[in-house]
Amino acid sequence: MQIGIPKEIKAQEYRVGLIPAAVADLVSAGHKVFIEREAGLGSGYSDDEYLAAGAQISPSAAALYQDAELIVKVKEPQPREVSMLQPRHRLFCYLHLAPTPTLTDGLIASGALCVAYETITDEQGRLPLLKPMSEIAGRLSVQAGAHCLEKAQGGSGVLLGSVSGLEPGQVLIFGGGVVGSNAADVALGMGAKVTLIEPFDQRRTALRKQFNSARFTVCDATGLDLLALLSDTDMVIGAALVPGAAAPKLLRKEHLSALAPGSVLVDVAVDQGGCFETTKPTTHLEPTFVLEGIVHYCVANIPSAVARTASQALSQSTLPYVHLLAAQNVKQICLNNTGLAAGISIANGELTCAAVAGAQGRKYKSWEEVV
């Protein structure tokens, strides 16, 4: 298989689809790997390192898409990249199609086989390719939010960690999955008080055991006085996930008035449409905006801030699936691997992901019908 790794072109996206060690592994398995010139620089990997791993350097994205059959990247393809996709291509990356009907239309029209990192499952039904970036995003969400609380950033001037004689800052987290639990871990480590809202009883029990601290509270939303809770909150983190579907809206615009001026909202579900009604995507260069006195941090690719760590973690997780997708008979591979098959979102001009279909009001077909 001829495998291509393009340079990411989404704003401030510094990650790379595969690091040199992964390329060497694919080359040793008999595949030919092309990487676009300087694609790895944002993550600290030079073209020379990729050449030493056995890759060939493509001078442009157009040349790479022309040579490659399997495209491995990080973020969802931008319009210019969609225009280069052909029916012969297999695309493997984060797609986050639910809130982006235009991208769905473009990928359907391309005829390419499009496999989404975020809906692939393991034997326990977990999301192994979402986990590493969720861990990073959860940890960075508190780090970024703490910075946004600083007065010079438009925040309230509250320090999350306690100092002698003063109460610590208060963090409210929606969702106790990978993002939420990592956010809680960092917030508690910084000395904050944390309230986490999690709908599933079994998960709440696990979180209580994990964070055995007087500064940690976990509850469900039943009977919760959200407005009263918000009035004592300095930072809100949106970490709710519905795999493949649009994120649930957990805070409405009218809720903002319950927060103190300069409080911070950090939305970690921007790629899936966001957890807050007032969310709009931002970038690392302009990460925040202020609405009704509340600082919003809504960066759509939070892990890119630590691109080297993120690229290493992502490449390590995706490599086994790249080997599978590089097989000639992809249908047989997917029949034998239902977890990989769960990632097939679009094939041969048909939408095959039920969650995306539900979010966009479209019809879909099972992947077995169209691959």
Side-chain angles (χ1 to χ4, degrees), residues 5 39 41 63 67 78 109 141 184-185 204 223 230 239 273 291 293 309 324 344 348-349 371:
I5 309 164
L41 286 186
D67 289 333
Q78 304 302 292
S141 67
D185 188 34
R204 290 196 301 273
L230 289 172
L291 181 65
T309 296
L324 292 174
I344 300 176
N348 289 331
V371 173

Side-chain angles (χ1 to χ4, degrees), residues 139 142-143 146 159-162 168-169 171 173 180-194 210-211 213 215-216:
R139 305 188 82 77
V142 179
Q143 182 175 309
L159 178 68
L160 281 186
S162 60
V171 178
I173 303 172
S181 60
N182 276 272
D185 188 34
V186 172
L188 290 167
M190 293 176 73
K193 279 188 174 181
V194 175
Q210 180 180 354
F211 302 117
S213 168
R215 290 184 283 109
F216 178 74

Side-chain angles (χ1 to χ4, degrees), residues 181-347:
S181 60
N182 276 272
D185 188 34
V186 172
L188 290 167
M190 293 176 73
K193 279 188 174 181
V194 175
T195 299
L196 192 152
I197 300 175
E198 165 58 45
F200 298 106
D201 181 67
Q202 187 174 5
R203 183 58 182 158
R204 290 196 301 273
T205 300
L207 288 165
R208 287 190 189 100
K209 184 176 181 180
Q210 180 180 354
F211 302 117
N212 184 20
S213 168
R215 290 184 283 109
F216 178 74
T217 302
V218 61
C219 58
D220 65 11
T222 305
L224 185 69
D225 188 342
L226 181 59
L227 294 180
L229 185 57
L230 289 172
S231 68
D232 289 328
T233 295
D234 300 297
M235 182 195 304
V236 183
I237 295 175
L241 170 72
V242 180
K249 294 294 184 285
L250 301 172
L251 278 188
R252 299 293 176 183
K253 186 175 182 180
E254 57 264 28
H255 289 132
L256 299 187
S257 61
L259 290 160
S263 297
V264 173
L265 301 185
V266 181
D267 199 332
V268 192
V270 177
D271 278 329
Q272 295 294 113
C275 290
F276 310 136
E277 186 180 33
T278 49
T279 289
K280 60 180 181 181
T282 61
T283 67
H284 286 287
L285 289 184
E286 296 183 44
T288 64
F289 62 91
V290 179
L291 181 65
E292 297 190 7
I294 307 304
V295 181
H296 290 62
Y297 180 95
C298 303
V299 174
N301 58 337
I302 293 175
S304 184
V306 290
R308 188 171 180 86
T309 296
S311 294
Q312 291 169 346
L314 183 61
S315 187
Q316 177 178 272
S317 299
T318 60
L319 181 59
Y321 296 96
V322 175
H323 277 288
L324 292 174
L325 286 171
Q328 291 303 319
N329 190 341
V330 72
K331 182 167 186 175
Q332 188 58 51
I333 291 293
C334 288
L335 285 172
N336 294 333
N337 190 317
T338 57
L340 176 61
I344 300 176
S345 294
I346 292 171

